[in-house]
Amino acid sequence: MACRELSLAVGAVAACSCLDIARATYYRRLRAGEGNGVRKRPAPPRALDTRERELVLEVLHQDRFVDRAPAEIYASLLDEGLYLCSIRTMYRILASEGEVRERRNQLRRPAYEVPELLATAPKQVWTWDITKLKGPVKWLYYFLYVILDIFSRYVVGWMVAAQENGSLAKHLITETCRKEEVQHGQIALHADRGRTWA
């Protein structure tokens, strides 16, 4: 331990401050010896022994309890006049056996990964959306179609229309690709509902 060697030359307080080590840490490690200073906790005096743990596990594995939570099992056993252990101890025993989960066979779905579109240069990924704009008269709305380049945040195409229509969006995308000289399949076109290639 470098701090111990330095403390022999300059003293413990100076060595700890030079090496930026708390004095309490230094003295704790010194008492523990040259090891890492981690001592194993003694078992609590009221802890269940191996046979009692096996008995609790047998009860938890009974057919009538296999679909129930430890709190329900605990209550049922108390109604029958049997006390084995606390609810928390039941959870600890199940966790040590790797059974703290839904114990019935169920379909496990993989974690959903949010798709990420990464653009390292212009004309790789575009995104588009339609926004509703209020008109000059009540209940009159216009629709703003906008196409943005994700890399540069540049508006590459836009259009205002009186209605929201798929053919108008297709026309805008086609004209923007022609104007920006984009080849078919060159860019990924992203929208709220997924990605397509333009």
Side-chain angles (χ1 to χ4, degrees):
M1 187 157 106
C3 190
R4 186 173 184 183
E5 293 172 10
L6 185 60
S7 69
L8 295 174
V10 296
V13 175
C16 287
S17 64
C18 287
L19 296 175
D20 198 25
I21 296 174
R23 281 187 293 166
T25 302
Y26 169 73
Y27 288 119
R28 185 172 50 250
R29 289 184 182 166
L30 194 61
R31 273 195 315 268
E34 289 297 324
N36 60 3
V38 176
R39 291 181 290 180
K40 188 174 179 179
R41 278 183 63 193
R46 293 174 35 187
L48 299 178
D49 63 15
T50 308
R51 178 65 196 127
E52 290 171 327
R53 290 175 69 88
E54 289 172 0
L55 177 66
V56 171
L57 202 54
E58 285 175 25
V59 171
L60 292 172
H61 285 163
Q62 289 178 3
D63 287 339
R64 65 186 182 136
F65 293 137
V66 77
D67 289 339
R68 298 171 69 187
E72 294 179 66
I73 298 169
Y74 177 81
S76 297
L77 291 175
L78 283 184
D79 288 343
E80 296 169 8
L82 180 63
Y83 176 80
L84 297 175
C85 61
S86 69
I87 298 169
R88 182 67 188 113
T89 302
M90 288 182 188
Y91 273 111
R92 280 192 203 100
I93 292 170
L94 288 171
S96 68
E97 298 294 318
E99 297 180 11
V100 181
R101 60 173 183 82
E102 178 63 53
R103 289 180 276 160
R104 294 173 291 174
N105 288 332
Q106 291 187 348
L107 178 64
R108 301 271 183 231
R109 299 195 185 279
Y112 174 73
E113 293 183 20
V114 177
E116 182 180 357
L117 296 172
L118 181 65
T120 56
K123 296 184 184 177
Q124 288 181 346
V125 181
W126 287 354
T127 185
W128 73 283
D129 202 0
I130 303 171
T131 303
K132 203 178 217 183
L133 303 173
K134 287 185 178 181
V137 183
K138 190 174 184 177
W139 304 110
L140 178 64
Y141 293 97
Y142 295 107
F143 295 90
L144 174 64
Y145 296 69
V146 179
I147 302 175
L148 290 173
D149 188 307
I150 287 183
F151 180 77
S152 62
R153 303 279 189 218
Y154 176 72
V155 176
V156 290
W158 65 275
M159 172 179 67
V160 177
Q163 60 185 352
E164 187 175 345
N165 191 326
S167 61
L168 290 174
K170 184 176 181 180
H171 173 72
L172 173 67
I173 292 167
T174 305
E175 286 300 310
T176 304
C177 287
R178 185 188 56 73
K179 181 184 76 173
E180 294 292 322
E181 299 176 356
V182 172
Q183 304 301 318
H184 182 70
Q186 177 182 339
I187 62 163
L189 185 62
H190 177 267
D192 292 341
R193 297 184 183 168
R195 173 176 75 172
T196 58
W197 292 93

